[in-house]
Amino acid sequence: MADIPDIFRAELALPDLAATAQLAGRIAPRLRAGDAVALWGDLGAGKTTLARDILRALGVTEDVPSPTFTLVQTYETAALTVAHYDLYRLKSSRELFELGFREALDDGAALVEWPERAPEYLPDGTLHLRLRIEDGGRAVKITGPSRWDGIA
Ligand SMILES: Nc1ncnc2c1ncn2[C@@H]1O[C@H](COP(=O)(O)OP(=O)(O)OP(=O)(O)O)[C@@H](O)[C@H]1O
Ligand SMILES: [Mg+2]
């Protein structure tokens, strides 16, 4: 049976872009190879913004486009390789396998927008960030293994 890790839970208001960037700045230094970060939320909830801020916090200076059409963009950072997925246009969960998701987690971390398109591919220890629009800003519910305690 799979090991069920202790669960960390938090809820946080992200009233402006600076708050999202600060959360990203706490997540980024804890990212390790094998980590998946699932970014849940409706259109415009702020998934790409948070993913981009995590990559910026890892030192990525190049353009970070939304991978809407390419489905994945990969970044070499000083600490680790990070694959940024947007599964909105995924045709089948099998396609994620073809996009090298397993290898991405062997080699580094993955940030995954629209994880509901292929939830069975998320590893047990996935950090889940559920974003929503609230009062003009955003709010986020976070769940994951207890090693993430302290990011919120
Ligand atoms: N914490 C925040 N406060 C205010 N605005 C925000 C915040 N986070 C993101 N936004 C704004 O929300 C808009 C949509 O953000 P983003 O593109 O990141 O959403 P998304 O969830 O990736 O959408 P999609 O599902 O279309 O990919 C952007 O204009 C962004 O600046
Ligand atoms: Mg997006």
Side-chain angles (χ1 to χ4, degrees):
M1 242 188 39
D3 241 345
I4 309 221
D6 293 335
I7 296 289
F8 159 66
R9 286 174 201 278
E11 181 146 13
L12 198 64
L14 301 172
D16 51 29
L17 291 171
T20 295
Q22 282 159 15
L23 172 61
R26 295 190 297 270
I27 293 171
R30 295 177 182 226
L31 269 183
R32 301 286 175 266
D35 284 344
V37 178
L39 297 159
W40 304 79
D42 291 340
L43 286 169
K47 302 179 294 295
T48 301
T49 303
L50 184 49
R52 185 180 290 127
D53 286 343
I54 290 171
L55 289 160
R56 292 270 176 259
L58 287 167
V60 173
T61 53
E62 71 197 82
D63 194 29
V64 178
S66 172
T68 313
F69 296 100
T70 54
L71 274 67
V72 60
Q73 297 278 346
T74 301
Y75 301 86
E76 302 297 335
T77 80
L80 80 172
T81 303
V82 182
H84 177 196
Y85 286 89
D86 182 335
L87 306 184
Y88 191 70
R89 287 165 194 275
L90 199 73
K91 290 182 200 76
S92 66
S93 60
R94 158 108 208 142
E95 200 186 350
L96 186 55
F97 181 78
E98 288 156 12
L99 285 166
F101 189 65
R102 287 280 154 77
E103 292 81 359
L105 290 179
D106 283 343
D107 297 346
L111 312 176
V112 186
E113 296 185 49
W114 296 101
E116 51 269 70
R117 294 287 196 267
E120 67 272 31
Y121 278 87
L122 297 175
D124 283 346
T126 296
L127 178 67
H128 294 276
L129 300 162
R130 293 183 171 82
L131 289 151
R132 64 177 190 276
I133 298 179
E134 191 176 87
D135 301 333
R138 303 291 182 272
V140 63
K141 273 188 186 164
I142 308 174
T143 55
S146 54
R147 55 170 272 242
W148 292 97
D149 196 354
I151 59 169

